[in-house]
Amino acid sequence: MSLKERISPKAEFAAADVIRSMVLAPMDGTPITARDREGNVAHIRWRADQDLEPGERPHWARWDTDVEFHAVAWTPTAWAITDILEVYG
């Protein structure tokens, strides 16, 4: 996907046909677009096992900052993992 074709996480979430509960979110590292209670939207992933530092517990984390994200709803992202890695590293 070219840079021009990439839609922001916020626009992607707003345009989603279906918004899902976090209990249905994939916990395998798949990138998703999610919203927290304050209305912040970000690309996130489930961090577990090999992704964690000693003493860390599994959690949802933003791709751009790697900080824990308290998501309440999600939708699939059109971004491929190659796009995610190119933009967020």
Side-chain angles (χ1 to χ4, degrees):
M1 178 182 305
S2 75
L3 189 56
K4 283 185 176 182
E5 294 172 318
R6 291 184 189 133
I7 185 170
S8 74
K10 189 171 187 169
E12 187 172 48
F13 195 88
D17 291 333
V18 177
I19 305 299
R20 297 169 171 92
S21 164
M22 289 307 293
V23 298
L24 302 173
M27 298 175 94
D28 61 0
T30 300
I32 61 175
T33 303
R35 180 181 49 80
D36 67 11
R37 290 188 198 286
E38 290 78 38
N40 300 306
V41 177
H43 285 128
I44 66 169
R45 72 187 182 291
W46 182 247
R47 289 193 67 222
D49 301 327
Q50 70 274 10
D51 291 337
L52 300 175
E53 299 295 325
E56 266 190 308
R57 61 175 177 64
H59 61 274
W60 293 104
R62 295 177 63 113
W63 274 96
D64 58 349
T65 63
D66 211 30
V67 171
E68 188 167 359
F69 190 81
H70 300 282
V72 296
W74 74 282
T75 190
T77 182
W79 289 41
I81 190 64
T82 51
D83 299 317
I84 295 279
L85 295 173
E86 181 181 330
V87 172
Y88 301 130

